[in-house]
Amino acid sequence: MKTLTVAFDSISYPIHIEDGCLARLGEFVRTIYHGKAAVITDDNVDKFYGETVMQSLQRAGVETCKYVFPHGEQSKCNDTLQKIYAFLAEQHINRGDFIIALGGGVTGDLAGFAAASYLRGIGLVQVPTSLLAQIDSSVGGKVAIDMPFGKNMVGAFYHPKLVLIDPTCLDTLPQRFYYDGMAEAIKYGCIRNKALFDAILNHSISREDLIYECVSIKRDVVAVDANDTGLRMLLNFGHTIGHAIEKYYQFTKFTHGEAVALGMVLMTQFSEQIGPSKAGTAQKVLDAVEAYHLPHQIAQADLLELLPLIQNDKKNIGKTLHVVMLDEIGNGVIVPTTDFVSDICAALGKAGM
């Protein structure tokens, strides 16, 4: 088993990574909680892992209940959140109890925000089952729901007491969603670790090592900047444009990772023109994105229409938008801008993109 610890200020929790550890969830939970567990999951994940989790908890003597919602980004909304609140109330969940978020990024965000807000905060365990959630969204304490005016616009910073990662859960992940997670892995290599980027590009890293390396980077960044006001903004590489793409297509055409892949390629093509990216950086990003069958082109008419949605981005501070660009592979930089949308539109037009 590989174990990492997130530790800063008064926050501390372990991240365990091991094949087959899902069947031992009850043992791990018993070391930190003694109340009732409310398992929150979606119908896809429940089909594969719901019974394993419930049996593990019951063997450990943990009282349990379970709420299952329809899978998909469309469920990460206020309507589903209200239904979860009602379920928790019906089950008499109190401050001595806790939520287990079993699933991908949508479940982690949704169930995590329910934990953060119900009774002003109850316990939380993250059990990510998708690659994207295992390497990124389950770690760092960001939880949220989408709103009609933007992605992740209502949320909180709320850390779990435990993250349990079983890489064998990826065996049941559809190939498209495995590649979806690889977009976030590529991001980590781009912003902080060229050796990781090269290993990803060359398909020369094991699944467990990939998860460990990505989580290590996120752990280190979060420990320095927990609330996303400085260094942590690096983790948004590809996301500024990616979130606008998701919103423009109403979360139906592209997965999150696919949108991030598009965002990374477009951002680096742009930053090669105006700086700071060194020549050839965009091609390397494109090569990695193509290696995992991720999208890298979007109709220019759509792109010009969706770019204004960036004005609602959470990285806006006053009239300044902080965007993440690459100096070169392995070195991300945060660039404050005031006219980003007009600048990128002009650059795209000039390049015929």
Side-chain angles (χ1 to χ4, degrees):
M1 173 175 284
K2 294 189 175 188
T3 299
L4 293 159
T5 301
V6 175
F8 58 92
D9 299 331
S10 60
I11 305 294
S12 179
Y13 57 93
I15 303 164
H16 299 303
I17 308 167
E18 184 182 43
D19 283 353
C21 65
L22 188 66
R24 296 167 50 211
L25 174 62
E27 300 172 28
F28 290 100
V29 162
R30 265 299 189 209
T31 66
I32 53 175
Y33 289 123
H34 297 282
K36 184 175 181 179
V39 177
I40 309 295
T41 190
D42 71 37
D43 51 2
N44 271 349
V45 173
D46 183 55
K47 179 174 56 180
F48 290 109
Y49 302 114
E51 185 175 350
T52 297
V53 164
M54 297 299 279
Q55 288 180 353
S56 177
L57 293 168
Q58 289 159 8
R59 281 197 305 270
V62 180
E63 185 181 359
T64 62
C65 58
K66 182 173 66 175
Y67 182 82
V68 181
F69 63 88
H71 66 275
E73 186 78 27
Q74 295 88 339
S75 285
K76 203 175 92 174
C77 63
N78 186 53
D79 181 59
T80 308
L81 181 66
Q82 296 303 318
K83 290 176 182 177
I84 291 173
Y85 289 151
F87 170 78
L88 297 174
E90 290 165 4
Q91 294 294 322
H92 306 292
I93 297 297
N94 61 49
R95 287 185 176 176
D97 301 326
F98 60 102
I99 283 175
I100 296 176
L102 172 67
V106 168
T107 300
D109 279 359
L110 177 63
F113 187 51
S117 50
Y118 189 73
L119 299 178
R120 297 195 178 97
I122 61 175
L124 174 64
V125 173
Q126 290 279 7
V127 184
T129 59
S130 70
L131 181 60
L132 186 148
Q134 289 184 353
I135 67 173
D136 187 71
S137 60
S138 65
V139 177
K142 280 187 177 181
V143 294
I145 58 171
D146 301 334
M147 298 297 285
F149 46 87
K151 184 179 173 71
N152 294 334
M153 294 298 287
V154 175
F157 290 98
Y158 196 72
H159 292 270
K161 291 293 185 183
L162 166 70
V163 181
L164 191 71
I165 299 174
D166 185 344
T168 65
C169 291
L170 303 179
D171 293 339
T172 56
L173 196 65
Q175 192 173 56
R176 181 187 183 191
F177 290 96
Y178 184 81
Y179 293 147
D180 171 71
M182 286 306 302
E184 293 283 2
I186 292 166
K187 175 197 76 176
Y188 282 113
C190 283
I191 62 171
R192 295 287 279 187
N193 189 326
K194 184 179 184 300
L196 174 62
F197 179 89
D198 290 341
I200 291 169
L201 180 61
N202 298 322
H203 300 271
S204 59
I205 187 169
S206 71
R207 187 165 65 180
E208 187 172 298
D209 286 342
L210 175 73
I211 295 168
Y212 181 87
E213 292 299 328
C214 291
V215 171
S216 295
I217 293 171
K218 185 159 192 181
R219 184 271 311 267
D220 293 345
V221 170
V222 168
V224 173
D225 176 26
N227 293 328
D228 205 13
T229 57
L231 183 66
R232 186 168 178 169
M233 290 184 186
L234 282 178
L235 301 178
N236 292 309
F237 177 54
H239 288 61
T240 298
I241 298 175
H243 282 170
I245 290 170
E246 287 184 273
K247 173 59 181 170
Y248 180 77
Y249 292 108
Q250 297 298 307
F251 307 103
T252 58
K253 184 170 182 176
F254 297 107
T255 66
H256 175 69
E258 289 169 347
V260 168
L262 282 161
M264 290 190 294
V265 171
L266 289 164
M267 182 64 78
T268 312
Q269 289 173 339
F270 169 65
S271 61
E272 266 197 24
Q273 293 186 54
I274 68 163
S277 296
K278 292 180 172 59
T281 305
Q283 184 60 52
K284 292 176 182 177
V285 174
L286 178 60
D287 289 343
V289 164
E290 288 187 316
Y292 292 91
H293 308 282
L294 290 158
H296 53 84
Q297 289 181 319
I298 191 170
Q300 184 170 3
D302 287 357
L303 183 59
L304 293 174
E305 281 191 12
L306 68 85
L307 284 172
L309 296 174
I310 290 171
Q311 304 297 348
N312 290 331
D313 193 277
K314 299 185 299 301
K315 275 77 70 184
N316 278 307
I317 301 176
K319 294 184 178 180
T320 301
L321 173 65
H322 293 80
V323 298
V324 183
M325 300 179 182
L326 302 181
D327 178 37
E328 59 186 344
I329 298 297
N331 185 28
V333 292
I334 301 165
V335 180
T337 66
T338 54
D339 296 302
F340 176 73
V341 173
S342 57
D343 287 348
I344 194 171
C345 286
L348 292 173
K350 181 179 178 182
M353 294 160 54

